[in-house]
Amino acid sequence: MASRLRVGQWRVTPELNSLERDGHSVHVEPKVMQVLVTLAEQPGNVLSKEHILRQVWPETFVSDEVLTRSISELRRVFEDNPREPTYIQTIPKGGYRLLAPVVAEGVGPETISRRGWGRMGWVAISAAIVLLGALSFYFVNRRQHAKSSPQITSLAVLPLTNLSGDASQDYFTDGLTDELTTRLAKISALRVISRTSVMHYKGSSKTTPEIARELNVDALLVGSVLRSGDRVRISAQLIQARSDKNVWAESYERDLHDILALQADVARTVANEIKIQVTPQEGEKVFAAGVVNPEAYEAYLKGNYYWDKFTAASMRKALSYYQQAIDADPNYALAYVGLADAYHELGDTPPKEAIPKSRAASEKALQLDGGLSEAHSSLGWVKWIYYWDWAGAEAEFQRALQLNPNSSNAHGMYAEYLDSMGRFGEAAKERAIAKRVSPVEPILYQNSGEHFLYTREFDKAIEQYNEALELDPTFSIAHGGLWQGYALKGMQKESMEHYEESTVLDGNPGLAAKIKAAYAKSGYRSAIRVILEDRRLQRSRGRWLAFVDDAYLYIALGEKDHALTALDQAVQERDANVTALQVDPSFDSIRSDPRFADLVHKVGLPY
């Protein structure tokens, strides 16, 4: 092979491990360059993976994954789309083929006249003939393939079916659904629907085309889990949405210790079958395997199961299980992320008790694995809502999205952060992305409602809160949003009806009955005073309640001094909702008060 080559539009210098085009130079790892050289020695020919591995790693055993990463790196440099390649083509179950023309530089007419038509000349002629045939074959087959196999760039992992017959094992099956979703979501070229949205289809009788249409995806990954002791078997099928036909079906079996390898195998097969581009950096996460501590892994999945129930009692159960996972394996980074997320969702605990613990757990997770998107999201959240480190929070959210562009959680959190700063256009874009990834997640519609409250578009806010309730009629937070929305529109009857409903859903029907009676007898102000009196009573019994909610109630009564006193207490306690002081319309009536301006400055917001 010549010391310099021209591959397509690129000038390649193997001894320098460099590629150059239009004055732009890129350096690659030596082994990546050797892979390119091996392909360039036989342009147009299909080279098996085994052949390339023998040529590049002759004395070392390496897995196919290493070669896949090298090919992905070359495609990144060439800006080559694996679905419509012009440089390197993947031949399913065959290997790889270099499509771009190869010219050995320095072998011009003078050189040929001295040497005659030697090896290099015949190689060039043969390569040209083979390449022309290969390109002809490629374009014909690409057209045929495009007609028969629509491109897959989005998918959903539907809830895996628990075949054990034991409902107590649902946490394990749901956990594997979550893990597979999280792995595939790290592929930036693939849109993967969030687990929160797909869990709405658990036990659904809808057909796969119906579900695919509702989620707006090209394909569905469906399957089942059978666990027997420490043996786990996953049967999976990839279904093309429009035709409702199987793309592939396979079964995988491992010991519980090797559950990560099982997940990696499934993810790798999906990526290969749909021919999606996976960068080397993404591949390190998506296809990562390893051995887990079974006891820690089971405790972690149980923690996730109870976290998803999202009640005060279930959140404390989740905390307990995450701690069990950490006790079993102190280096289990994801368990620390779970612990962090559970701490910052303890709504009945003073922030000063819970949030520092959340931050410590996130930072520990990042010490163990700096590439965890979930840990960056969690740390960004507490930096924002408690530490008021606005720049630090934004950096964490952006890093989380770099690591996992399909994280509806990170997009949603970042949108809330942007809303609190009044950056409404950016917030709307982030939330739109979150909804594409998680189209049936109630909290995203709830937060859209808040967005429209902040922009003073109250009818749109009410519409979004109702969307959240259509997805989940038990979602009490949305009723709280409707209470605010209708109150800001001056619709007191509707406002109080939703406050009563939220109170019932939160487990206090007795209070709801008192509110209803007070409203019927003496009107809106009387009902508000019943709520305030109940809050004072609960505090006297030792329960922590956010003072921002008191401020809303005092604003409804027109008692501005009491509202400012409550807000001052909320700022002292670092209540999460004070981050929205500058945009929340509920406080417009006291916005001109110097005391309000002072509170805004304390939170670190511009006034």
Side-chain angles (χ1 to χ4, degrees), residues 205-401:
S205 61
K206 292 184 177 181
T207 65
T208 49
E210 287 175 327
I211 296 172
R213 280 195 300 272
E214 290 178 12
L215 294 176
N216 189 28
V217 293
D218 302 323
L220 298 171
L221 182 64
V222 301
S224 59
V225 178
L226 179 61
R227 181 181 177 187
S228 178
D230 282 344
R231 294 294 290 178
V232 180
R233 182 182 181 87
I234 291 182
S235 297
Q237 301 174 67
L238 188 68
I239 300 176
Q240 203 281 323
R242 292 181 185 175
S243 62
D244 195 23
K245 293 180 179 178
N246 284 356
V247 177
W248 62 266
E250 189 61 79
S251 293
Y252 307 81
E253 187 170 344
R254 292 280 194 286
D255 284 332
L256 192 56
H257 291 81
D258 298 320
I259 194 69
L260 299 183
L262 184 153
Q263 295 167 16
D265 285 348
V266 176
R268 183 181 296 105
T269 305
V270 170
N272 287 341
E273 290 292 337
I274 65 177
K275 299 175 178 59
I276 202 75
Q277 184 173 4
V278 182
T279 69
Q281 294 80 8
E282 291 168 351
E284 289 177 4
K285 290 291 183 183
V286 178
F287 308 134
V291 177
V292 297
N293 179 313
E295 182 184 349
Y297 185 71
E298 291 225 41
Y300 170 70
L301 292 187
K302 288 178 180 177
N304 289 349
Y305 181 78
Y306 283 105
W307 195 97
D308 286 337
K309 292 183 179 296
F310 217 77
T311 66
S314 69
M315 204 59 69
R316 293 195 178 278
K317 272 193 172 182
L319 274 174
S320 174
Y321 280 117
Y322 291 136
Q323 189 58 58
Q324 285 182 34
I326 291 167
D327 291 341
D329 181 359
N331 294 318
Y332 196 2
L334 280 173
Y336 286 100
V337 176
L339 201 67
D341 288 344
Y343 272 125
H344 72 58
E345 293 298 342
L346 290 179
D348 59 352
T349 303
K352 289 184 179 180
E353 291 182 18
I355 302 302
K357 293 177 182 177
S358 177
R359 178 170 187 163
S362 295
E363 290 177 338
K364 179 63 176 178
L366 289 171
Q367 286 176 14
L368 294 168
D369 184 352
L372 275 179
S373 170
E374 301 92 330
H376 285 287
S377 293
S378 188
L379 184 56
W381 180 262
V382 299
K383 282 186 174 183
W384 167 45
I385 59 109
Y386 183 82
Y387 292 98
W388 306 333
D389 176 4
W390 298 83
E394 183 160 25
E396 295 294 342
F397 290 138
Q398 290 176 344
R399 180 59 178 151
L401 290 169

Side-chain angles (χ1 to χ4, degrees), residues 28-36 39 52-53 56-57 64-77 88 96 278-280:
V28 297
E29 295 178 2
K31 291 296 185 183
V32 174
M33 178 57 72
Q34 289 180 41
V35 170
L36 176 58
L39 290 169
I52 300 171
L53 289 170
V56 180
W57 292 275
D64 290 357
E65 183 180 332
V66 176
L67 176 57
T68 301
R69 286 203 300 266
S70 298
I71 295 292
S72 295
E73 177 63 16
L74 289 170
R75 283 176 170 150
R76 184 189 66 79
V77 172
I88 300 174
Y96 298 102
V278 182
T279 69

Side-chain angles (χ1 to χ4, degrees), residues 49 75 88 158 198 365 401 424 465 485 495 514 519 561 597 599:
K49 292 180 180 179
R75 283 176 170 150
I88 300 174
L158 291 189
V198 300
L401 290 169
F424 299 131
Y465 291 134
S495 172
K514 290 179 183 178
Y519 183 84
D561 287 341
L599 293 173

Side-chain angles (χ1 to χ4, degrees), residues 493-554:
K493 180 177 181 295
E494 292 82 357
S495 172
M496 198 47 61
E497 286 174 349
H498 285 287
Y499 197 103
E500 291 168 20
E501 188 63 32
S502 70
T503 304
V504 171
L505 290 171
D506 287 339
N508 197 346
L511 174 60
K514 290 179 183 178
I515 295 169
K516 186 172 185 177
Y519 183 84
K521 181 178 180 180
S522 306
Y524 189 67
R525 293 173 62 84
S526 178
I528 295 291
R529 292 200 183 281
V530 166
I531 299 168
L532 283 166
E533 179 56 35
D534 181 77
R535 293 176 71 81
R536 280 192 288 269
L537 182 61
Q538 290 190 62
R539 285 197 183 98
S540 71
R541 294 172 177 170
R543 183 178 179 188
W544 182 85
L545 295 170
F547 275 95
V548 166
D549 293 336
D550 291 55
Y552 291 136
L553 294 164
Y554 283 123

